[in-house]
Amino acid sequence: MPRILIVEDTSEIAEALQHHLERRGYETALATRAAEAAAVVADARPDLIVLDLGLPDRDGYTVLEQLRARGLDTPVLILSARREEADKVRGFTLGADDYVTKPFGAMELLA
């Protein structure tokens, strides 16, 4: 079963993503802080990482940069409210595989 790590500090979004992914047959793990993400990656060995940029202890760019510096080639999908082109370029430059912006009213879409 494919494993997906969700790195998201907004509990409503994290729980909704987790719920919907598990209903579709994915195994999920959740990290709400950047410091947790590295430990969960080592333990869970995910097939995909869904990464928010706005984490409380460090930004998601730092997480991505550290993962890639360790040689981790697991696909990373950035899921962020940041819509600026510069944010997307930075994400791809650091090694993200895709970048999706959270729509306004994201919670209503996940319901």
Side-chain angles (χ1 to χ4, degrees), residues 57-108:
D57 54 341
R58 277 178 267 153
D59 68 24
Y61 293 126
T62 303
V63 173
L64 178 58
E65 191 170 30
Q66 290 172 344
L67 293 173
R68 294 302 189 228
R70 290 186 2 216
L72 186 75
D73 63 354
T74 301
V76 174
L77 169 91
I78 293 175
L79 180 62
S80 178
R82 298 181 190 179
R83 301 176 178 283
E84 298 297 319
E85 191 69 24
D87 290 309
K88 295 174 186 178
V89 169
R90 184 173 179 199
F92 287 123
T93 300
L94 291 173
D97 295 278
D98 207 347
Y99 190 112
V100 177
T101 55
K102 295 176 186 175
F104 293 107
M107 291 313 302
E108 291 80 21

